[in-house]
Each structure stands twice: as C-alpha cells, then as structure tokens.
Amino acid sequence: MAGRSSGSGGMEEVEDEVDAMGRKIWDKDHYMEKAKNNIMFGPERIGRRKDPVIPLPSSQRTFLKQRTHELDLDKNLGKTQVVTQHTIKPMQGGYWCSVCECLIKDSAAWLEHINGRRHNRNLGMNMKVEKIGVDRVREKLKAMRKEPEVAEKDDIEARIQALEEEQEEKKTKK
C-alpha cells in the first residue's frame, strides 16, 4: 500500500493498481493535477512552447540588418563568480540573451546563437539579406573612402615647438 497526501495534510491510504505483470498503473489524472498545482510548473507552463517568445509570421519579418551594438565577448574574462542554486539565470555565469531568454555558457556558442535563425526570428528578421544594386555599393565605397589629409606647415611647426617645450620642462624638473 502506498500513501497519498490529501489537501488536508493527512495521509490517505490508497491501494495502487497493478497490471497483469505486477507493474504499478499510474493515475495520470492525479499526477497532472499535482503538476498543475506545483509552483514550478503551474497551469500556465503545461503544454507551453519551449521558446518563450512567439516570433512574427514570415510575411511581417524584415531582412537581416547590421548589428547596432558592440558584442562584449570578454566582459567577464578572468573574473570569478559565485553561483548558487537560487541565483537567477541572468546573473549566472555565461551570456544571457534577453530576447530569447536563454543562458549560454561560452563565447563561441554565444556567437552561434546571436547569428542563428531562432534569435533573428525572435528579433523579427528572416535569414535573407537585402539585395543591393551596384550604384548603392559605389556610393557606400565613395563615402567610406578617406580623403588624404593635407597637413599645414604652421600646424606641424606648432606641434614641434610644443614638443620641444615639453622636453625642456622635463629636463628642468630632473
């Protein structure tokens, strides 16, 4: 006989059902109710997708865009961090993706995730790159081309004089 706890706190003696082979037959309804009442799983977590973010439909997604923020891959390099069982996920060691709500442990996997299909889908982008014509490429190259800087003689002479004065001050201090 196995005991089941009831809501009143007492133990309710229930005889377990056994099949022809002598194995216990589990009461699936009872355990489903127990899981629904559990704090960790709760009614809203049962039957839910693994991915917490529902991506946009493919018709509403945009082309891939250039990243606007700098990836700080060495932010915790050489640091020691204490992680307990009660530490929340974003504060644990590794890289936390707030878009996908997942924790990634190393930088190579982080780069794979950031550039991956699921992450970009959650950002509202598909994995297609916008096609650009030759004219736009030429304009971009022209804008990126650096014009050679023409240094004025007065500017160079002023710099040389300032450096000489600094050297003289250093000599006088010694």
Side-chain angles (χ1 to χ4, degrees):
M1 282 193 194
R4 273 193 202 159
S5 62
S6 63
S8 61
M11 293 297 286
E12 184 181 314
E13 294 295 323
V14 177
E15 188 172 322
D16 292 329
E17 294 182 35
V18 183
D19 67 358
M21 300 294 290
R23 297 175 295 199
K24 179 178 177 179
I25 298 175
W26 294 95
D27 183 7
K28 292 181 183 176
D29 296 330
H30 168 74
Y31 286 103
M32 183 58 85
E33 282 298 315
K34 196 172 179 181
K36 284 181 182 177
N37 295 332
N38 190 335
I39 295 170
M40 292 297 287
F41 300 106
E44 68 276 353
R45 302 253 332 174
I46 299 216
R48 212 171 109 190
R49 290 177 47 140
K50 183 180 178 186
D51 190 3
V53 179
I54 298 172
L56 289 172
S58 60
S59 61
Q60 295 179 357
R61 289 189 213 132
T62 62
F63 290 115
L64 276 177
K65 296 176 189 161
Q66 185 175 4
R67 201 175 289 121
T68 56
H69 61 281
E70 187 73 27
L71 289 181
D72 193 14
L73 294 176
D74 54 356
K75 66 177 181 178
N76 291 329
L77 187 64
K79 294 182 182 175
T80 305
Q81 190 172 8
V82 177
V83 179
T84 65
Q85 291 178 344
H86 303 293
T87 306
I88 58 173
K89 286 252 184 185
M91 302 304 289
Q92 290 179 1
Y95 299 92
W96 175 254
C97 178
S98 57
V99 175
C100 303
E101 295 181 2
C102 63
L103 180 69
I104 295 141
K105 293 292 184 179
D106 62 73
S107 59
W110 173 246
L111 280 173
E112 288 288 323
H113 172 76
I114 291 293
N115 296 325
R117 176 176 283 135
R118 185 177 134 217
H119 180 80
N120 285 314
R121 210 172 259 170
N122 289 343
L123 284 173
M125 295 185 278
N126 57 20
M127 297 302 288
K128 296 177 184 171
V129 180
E130 183 180 4
K131 293 181 180 172
I132 297 175
V134 175
D135 297 335
R136 276 187 65 188
V137 173
R138 285 187 182 140
E139 288 174 12
K140 182 73 172 179
L141 288 173
K142 195 176 204 179
M144 291 175 62
R145 187 178 301 141
K146 293 182 180 178
E147 298 295 326
E149 294 181 21
V150 178
E152 297 178 17
K153 286 189 173 186
D154 297 335
D155 187 45
I156 294 173
E157 290 174 1
R159 283 185 180 175
I160 291 172
Q161 186 177 2
L163 287 172
E164 288 175 353
E165 289 174 4
E166 287 178 21
Q167 288 177 355
E168 288 176 16
E169 289 177 17
K170 287 181 182 177
K171 287 179 183 177
T172 55
K173 288 182 180 179
K174 290 183 180 180

